[in-house]
Amino acid sequence: MASGQRPAPRSQALARRSRSAGAPSRVKPAETGERPQDDGPCTRQNFDKRTSRFQNRNEFIAQIAESSFYAKVPDGRLPRSAVHIYIRKRPLFGYESQKGEYDVVKVDTAKARCVVHNCLMHPDMRRMFLQHTSFPSTQAFSELSQNADVYAKTAGPLLQQVCRGEGDVALLLMYGQTGSGKTFTMTALEEAASRDLFSAIRAPGTPGKSPKRPSAGQPPTVVVSVLEIAGRSGRDLLSPHRNEVSFVDMGDGGIQVHGIVEATPQSPEQLLSVFQEAKSRRATESTAINATSSRSHCITNILLVRQNMIVGKLTLVDCAGSERKEDSAHHTAQRRKEGAEINSSIYALKECMRAMASGATHIPFRNHLLTRALKDNFTTPGAQVAVIATCSPTATDTEHSIGTLRTVCSWRGVEDWITTKKEDVLSQEQRRRLVTGVEPAFQNLKANASQAAKAERVEARANDWMQKRKALMDQKNSVPSEGSNAKRPAASRPQPPSSSGASRPVSLAFNPIPRDEPLTPKGAGYRSPVAGSRVRRGSAAAANTRATASRDSTKASGGDFFGGMQGMAYKKADGVSHPKTWTHEQASKWVMDRVHRKLPAGTDGKALLRWSHAKCVTFCDKDEKAGLVMFNGLRLEVDHVAAVEKEKRQQILGRK
Ligand SMILES: Nc1ncnc2c1ncn2[C@@H]1O[C@H](COP(=O)(O)OP(=O)(O)O)[C@@H](O)[C@H]1O
Ligand SMILES: [Mg+2]
C-alpha cells in the first residue's frame, strides 16, 4: 500500500475479496483482529498498514529486536552549520502499550542516529518485512534523555550566544507531529532559559568586551512578546483577550506587528510567569489523537534591548502539529482548512530553512506569514537555527516519524546521509520450524560430544593398559631365564600360590610371546597353558623331554603364569584348545590357576572372553595386576592357539 494512501481506522479495516480470477468469495471480518489465515493460493486479505502492524505485532517486535541494522548504522553526527538538527524521541506511554502499540524507533546517542523500523507487508499480504531507515543529526536524544541534557546541547548555547549582546540572532524551532512532545520540550527549555537568561546578561566580565556593544556594562532590558499565528491571522498571547494583531509590511518583505503587548520581566520568576500566561492562552483544539493538540504556531521573541537598540534576539517557535488527513476524518470543514493552512506554513518554513542551510542568497520568506515574521532569523548574518525534531515511538505513527525526520534532514541538505534497508520478517511458523530444525542438530551435536568423550575415555584406558603391560614386560625381561631361576634367591623368586587363601599372590611372571622371537624357541618349547600341551618341534621324544624339563623347572619356581596349567583336564586332541571352547570347569580351573579366584557358576570360556579389563579387575577384588593378568592371559591363550594352528599348517604344507 502506498504511503500516501488513506488507511482506514483499525476497526474499519478492509477485508476485501482478492481480484485474482476465480477466487472464492471468502471474506473474513477484520474486526476480529485475528491474523489472516492461509486460505489457499487464490485468496488474500487487504488491511491498512496500521491494522497489519497490530495483527503481526509479535513477529515485528521479535524481528526489530533481532535485527542487526541498528547496531551497524554508521556515525551520523553532522558537521557544524548554521542549521542544527536535533532529534528527540519521546517514550512509549503505558496506555499506548496497553492498546497494542510497540516501539519502532531507536536512537543511538553516541552515533547521533535515529532509526525508524517501518513494519510493512509484501503485496501478497502474507509475508512481512521491515524497512529500516536511519537518520543523521547534530545530536539525537533518546526517550531516556533528560530535559536538562536537551537544554544543555540545544537552547543553552544559543542563549549564551545571544546574551553576548553583540546583536546575535538565534532561532529554536520545535518540529514534529502532534503528540510527539514539541510543547513538552519547549516548556522545559523555556524554564531553563528563564533561569539562565538573567544570570547570563548580568554576568560580570561579559559586557564591554566587544566594541560593537553600546554602553557596555549595563545589562540589557529583556523584552518578551508572544505571538500566535493561526492561519493568516495573528493573536497576542500576552493581552488578556488574545487580541488580534495587525501586520505592517516593512517594504523589504518583513513585517512589523502592531498592537502587541511587550512584557519586561525583571527576574527569572517573572519571565517564567510570562511564558505560562502565554501558554494558557494558546489556542488549542481537541483532536482525535491528542486532547491538547496545538493548532497554531507560537512564536516567542526574547529581545535584549539596550538604548533602544536590539543587542540580541532569541526566538522560540513551537510549531503546530502537522495533521494527518486520517486523524482529521471527523473534523469539521473549518478544522480541515486549518490543517491545510498549517501544512502550507510548514512548507514555507521548510523552503526558507533549505535555502539558509545551503547558503543561498535568496531566502523565500515572503511565502507565508510565519516566515515573514521570522525574517530576521533567516536573513541576519551569522544567524543560528536549531531545529528539534520530535518523534513518537509508536508503530502507528511510523510514517509521520519518518516524514518529520526526512523533512528536517532536507532542511539541512543531508538527505544522502539517510540510509535504508529492507529485511524480511520471519512468521511464527517459520520461527517454529527454525527452532524444531535446530533441536535435532543440537541433539546431534550433544551425541557427537558424548561420543568424543567416550572415545577419549577409551583411549585413556588403552594407554593405561599399554603402560601396565609394558611395565609387566619390563619386569618379565628383568627376571632371569627359567634355567637360572633355581639359582636366584628365594625371596626374589615368584612365590607359589597360597592354599590358605588369606594372601593370594598373583603370579605375574607369565611368559608373553615376544613378537620378534619365534613362537617355539628351540630347546625350550612354548608350553601351552592348556595342560601338558606344547608346541612340538622336531621329534616327539625330544619334545617330551623338553616338556618334562620345563614342567620340572616350573614346579621348582613355584609355577609361572602358564606353568600352572599343568595337568589340566581340558586339552584337545591336538594339545591346545581355544578359550571360547572351554567349559565352565576348564575356565574355572584356568582362572583359579591364574588369579586364585572362583569363577561364578555358569561362566564358560566364551563368556569369559567377553569380560572387559575393568570387569576382570573388579572380579579380582579391584586388584589391578591380577585383573590385567587375567585379561591379558586370556588373549595370550588365543594368540597361542593361533600360533599352534599356524605351525600345524606350515608343517602340513611341508615348509618346516
Ligand atoms: N520526552 C518526554 N518525556 C515524557 N513525556 C513526554 C515527552 N514528550 C512528550 N511527552 C508527553 O507527551 C504528551 C504530548 O506531548 P506534547 O508536548 O503536548 O506534544 P505536541 O506539542 O507535539 O503535540 C504530553 O502529555 C507530554 O507530557
Ligand atoms: Mg504542542
Side-chain angles (χ1 to χ4, degrees):
M1 196 177 293
S3 99
Q5 191 171 338
R6 173 180 167 173
R10 188 180 176 198
S11 59
Q12 297 173 9
L14 298 175
R16 288 201 297 266
R17 198 179 144 188
S18 166
R19 277 183 296 202
S20 308
S25 60
R26 282 178 282 174
V27 178
K28 286 180 191 280
E31 288 80 0
T32 57
E34 286 169 16
R35 188 152 169 228
Q37 301 296 309
D38 189 347
D39 289 339
C42 300
T43 306
R44 68 179 183 184
Q45 291 176 290
N46 273 344
F47 297 94
D48 81 307
K49 277 183 267 194
R50 291 185 189 177
T51 307
S52 64
R53 278 174 196 149
F54 279 109
Q55 287 177 338
N56 304 295
R57 182 178 185 274
N58 293 341
E59 286 89 337
F60 282 127
I61 290 175
Q63 197 68 37
I64 289 170
E66 284 169 14
S67 173
S68 59
F69 179 81
Y70 173 71
K72 290 180 185 165
V73 288
D75 200 319
R77 199 173 296 276
L78 295 171
R80 285 186 68 82
S81 155
V83 179
H84 309 273
I85 302 296
Y86 300 94
I87 299 172
R88 187 177 198 190
K89 172 196 171 188
R90 73 156 170 82
L92 185 74
F93 300 130
Y95 75 88
E96 290 174 324
S97 302
Q98 281 169 10
K99 283 196 324 197
E101 286 287 2
Y102 50 97
D103 194 345
V104 297
V105 178
K106 282 187 194 163
V107 171
D108 189 331
T109 46
K111 290 182 184 169
R113 280 261 176 199
C114 180
V115 176
V116 182
H117 307 283
N118 196 353
C119 306
L120 297 168
M121 303 297 288
H122 281 290
D124 64 4
M125 293 306 287
R126 290 195 182 118
R127 290 172 303 124
M128 300 155 271
F129 70 99
L130 289 178
Q131 173 93 44
H132 310 288
T133 315
S134 92
F135 299 92
S137 68
T138 305
Q139 177 73 52
F141 301 98
S142 75
E143 66 271 39
L144 303 175
S145 299
Q146 299 295 308
N147 286 328
D149 193 23
V150 178
Y151 173 75
K153 302 259 172 55
T154 57
L158 293 183
L159 187 81
Q160 294 301 328
Q161 188 184 351
V162 167
C163 288
R164 292 187 307 172
E166 295 176 3
D168 291 292
V169 174
L171 167 65
L172 178 74
L173 191 136
M174 309 299 307
Y175 180 75
Q177 76 169 106
T178 301
S180 60
K182 294 183 299 297
T183 306
F184 176 87
T185 304
M186 184 58 95
T187 307
L189 297 185
E190 283 174 352
E191 282 172 13
S194 341
R195 192 189 57 229
D196 282 2
L197 180 66
F198 288 94
S199 52
I201 59 175
R202 287 173 192 157
T206 36
K209 277 186 183 167
S210 167
K212 279 202 267 173
R213 179 182 295 184
S215 300
Q218 286 293 318
T221 308
V222 178
V223 179
V224 181
S225 62
V226 186
L227 173 70
E228 178 194 73
I229 293 184
R232 300 274 164 181
S233 62
R235 290 187 178 274
D236 178 8
L237 290 185
L238 292 186
S239 71
H241 303 293
R242 294 175 64 248
N243 294 340
E244 191 160 349
V245 292
S246 55
F247 301 103
V248 178
D249 198 331
M250 300 296 289
D252 58 354
I255 49 168
Q256 202 175 26
V257 186
H258 273 208
I260 194 163
V261 173
E262 291 182 332
T264 51
Q266 303 294 320
S267 66
E269 294 74 29
Q270 286 181 7
L271 178 56
L272 198 59
S273 69
V274 169
F275 288 142
Q276 285 168 350
E277 188 186 337
K279 203 146 282 130
S280 67
R281 295 195 187 118
R282 181 107 187 259
T284 59
E285 189 67 37
S286 174
T287 68
I289 62 167
N290 189 351
T292 55
S293 165
S294 299
R295 308 288 300 146
S296 61
H297 304 295
C298 178
I299 304 173
T300 305
N301 274 318
I302 304 168
L303 307 177
L304 303 182
V305 181
R306 187 182 286 130
Q307 293 178 347
N308 290 327
M309 281 187 68
I310 296 174
V311 295
K313 179 180 176 185
L314 176 64
T315 306
L316 308 174
V317 180
D318 184 1
C319 289
S322 51
E323 273 297 17
R324 293 180 297 192
K325 282 187 251 159
E326 60 270 26
D327 295 326
S328 58
H330 309 294
H331 288 178
T332 60
Q334 174 62 20
R335 291 288 164 269
R336 282 202 287 274
K337 204 173 153 202
E338 275 179 17
E341 191 59 46
I342 289 167
N343 287 345
S344 77
S345 64
I346 296 285
Y347 182 77
L349 196 59
K350 176 174 153 182
E351 291 296 300
C352 291
M353 303 280 269
R354 268 182 96 101
M356 193 182 171
S358 66
T361 47
H362 172 70
I363 310 283
F365 61 87
R366 289 179 175 83
N367 291 347
H368 197 273
L369 192 65
L370 173 68
T371 47
R372 290 179 75 187
L374 297 174
K375 174 185 167 274
D376 286 353
N377 298 96
F378 296 131
T379 55
T380 307
Q384 295 284 307
V385 176
V387 179
I388 302 183
T390 54
C391 68
S392 153
T394 61
T396 302
D397 294 327
T398 307
E399 279 74 26
H400 275 266
S401 299
I402 292 173
T404 298
L405 298 173
R406 256 190 209 290
T407 303
V408 294
C409 283
S410 71
W411 291 359
R412 177 69 170 70
V414 289
E415 296 96 320
D416 50 341
W417 286 53
I418 301 172
T419 59
T420 59
K421 192 188 167 198
K422 272 187 186 178
E423 185 182 340
D424 276 330
V425 175
L426 295 179
S427 68
Q428 275 179 352
E429 176 61 18
Q430 284 169 324
R431 275 179 197 284
R432 196 184 59 73
R433 270 194 230 131
L434 201 69
V435 170
T436 49
V438 162
E439 186 62 20
F442 178 65
Q443 294 296 351
N444 271 350
L445 219 63
K446 261 172 62 177
N448 287 347
S450 74
Q451 271 177 13
K454 194 173 170 187
E456 254 176 42
R457 282 202 304 274
V458 168
E459 193 183 331
R461 195 181 295 172
N463 286 341
D464 191 34
W465 187 85
M466 291 299 289
Q467 275 177 8
K468 284 177 180 163
R469 183 186 166 122
K470 188 168 177 293
L472 288 167
M473 295 271 285
D474 292 345
Q475 191 180 345
K476 168 62 188 162
N477 290 340
S478 65
V479 172
S481 63
E482 277 187 356
S484 61
N485 205 18
K487 294 175 193 159
R488 286 163 59 200
S492 67
R493 274 183 256 139
Q495 297 301 307
S498 160
S499 54
S500 68
S503 163
R504 298 188 294 179
V506 175
S507 172
L508 296 175
F510 68 95
N511 190 9
I513 306 165
R515 292 287 174 216
D516 49 352
E517 286 177 23
L519 288 169
T520 53
K522 271 187 186 166
Y526 179 80
R527 283 183 293 108
S528 164
V530 178
S533 67
R534 60 193 164 83
V535 179
R536 289 175 176 272
R537 282 196 74 122
S539 70
N544 265 337
T545 311
R546 283 197 297 274
T548 310
S550 177
R551 258 200 307 278
D552 292 342
S553 69
T554 303
K555 278 176 185 167
S557 68
D560 68 7
F561 190 83
F562 297 112
M565 301 301 282
Q566 297 294 331
M568 283 181 72
Y570 47 87
K571 72 176 173 187
K572 274 174 65 176
D574 57 2
V576 290
S577 67
H578 196 286
K580 72 181 176 190
T581 63
W582 294 351
T583 61
H584 171 66
E585 288 71 30
Q586 287 173 314
S588 298
K589 181 83 171 71
W590 186 90
V591 169
M592 184 55 78
D593 285 345
R594 290 294 170 281
V595 292
H596 315 294
R597 278 163 177 88
K598 196 164 177 281
L599 199 63
T603 310
D604 56 9
K606 198 173 174 183
L608 199 58
L609 260 182
R610 285 200 295 268
W611 282 20
S612 65
H613 173 234
K615 189 166 180 183
C616 290
V617 173
T618 311
F619 171 70
C620 295
D621 308 313
K622 302 268 167 58
D623 184 337
E624 284 274 335
K625 282 185 180 172
L628 191 62
V629 163
M630 186 177 164
F631 182 79
N632 217 7
L634 266 174
R635 267 104 204 127
L636 287 171
E637 289 285 357
V638 174
D639 284 354
H640 178 58
V641 171
V644 169
E645 278 172 2
K646 188 178 172 191
E647 182 92 4
K648 269 168 59 185
R649 278 200 302 277
Q650 299 283 351
Q651 281 174 0
I652 291 166
L653 291 169
R655 290 185 190 159
K656 291 210 174 170

